[in-house]
Amino acid sequence: ELSPSTTGVGVFQGRIALDTTGGSSSEIDLTVSHGDTISAKYFDSHYGDAGSHEVVTTATVDLTPPQILDVTVSNVTENSATVAWSCSEPVSGAVEYGDSRTLGLQKSDRVLTEAHSLNLPGLSENRPYYFSVEVRDPAGNEVVADNGGALYTFQTRYTVSIFRDDM
């Protein structure tokens, strides 16, 4: 079923349930495997200057989650740090972080790219921080890097003030 999109006049969107297990329990499911091509044919009664026209569009099934590579922390100061990572394909991503293992804070980058770098401002001085990285590819495949469940860590710096008075 197609329904009008809210993104523009003449734009229609549709969804179909995909079964990747081969055990389809419904007649509306389409059984697919990674790399399969899905074709949709529809009749467009207002196809620009051409009038009415039959349109065929295709999409490739992507069931492979991206790989998160090289998670690093740099530029650690008293109140900020930068978390960077790269991926095997363009993704959007987020860092969930906090000063306890329950995390609680998030900073995201919605740009689809293979390399991400997020600055985490507003941190407390001389405190350990924990974080994980979550990414999502355009097909909706998600993956989390959390250092094998242990979470990644870094510690903010501590500034020592030295005062000297040579009166």
Side-chain angles (χ1 to χ4, degrees):
E1 175 182 334
L2 291 177
S3 56
S5 168
T6 58
T7 59
V9 176
V11 176
F12 290 81
Q13 295 176 334
R15 295 182 183 267
I16 186 168
L18 300 179
D19 174 29
T20 60
T21 65
S24 178
S25 60
S26 169
E27 291 183 29
I28 64 167
D29 285 350
L30 178 63
T31 302
V32 296
S33 297
H34 179 73
D36 285 353
T37 299
I38 300 172
S39 297
K41 185 187 311 186
Y42 63 95
F43 187 77
D44 189 338
S45 61
H46 300 289
Y47 193 73
D49 293 336
S52 52
H53 184 73
E54 185 176 88
V55 179
V56 177
T57 189
T58 62
T60 302
V61 176
D62 177 1
L63 301 176
T64 303
Q67 292 179 315
I68 300 174
L69 312 165
D70 304 321
V71 177
T72 61
V73 179
S74 63
N75 303 322
V76 178
T77 69
E78 296 82 11
N79 58 14
S80 68
T82 300
V83 175
W85 68 93
S86 60
C87 285
S88 57
E89 62 180 286
V91 295
S92 60
V95 175
E96 291 197 45
Y97 65 101
D99 60 2
S100 73
R101 292 185 181 280
T102 57
L103 306 179
L105 300 170
Q106 184 181 68
K107 180 113 184 230
S108 60
D109 182 0
R110 299 191 193 287
V111 176
L112 291 172
T113 182
E114 292 178 18
H116 291 266
S117 179
L118 289 173
N119 184 50
L120 309 179
L123 306 179
S124 297
E125 185 176 347
N126 194 30
R127 183 166 278 183
Y129 279 86
Y130 305 87
F131 72 95
S132 65
V133 174
E134 181 178 328
V135 300
R136 179 182 180 137
D137 70 12
N141 299 306
E142 294 180 346
V143 68
V144 175
D146 61 3
N147 197 22
L151 297 174
Y152 295 99
T153 62
F154 64 89
Q155 176 141 350
T156 51
R157 297 194 187 279
Y158 177 71
T159 302
V160 177
S161 297
I162 300 175
F163 177 77
R164 184 174 171 171
D165 189 355
D166 290 333
M167 289 208 263

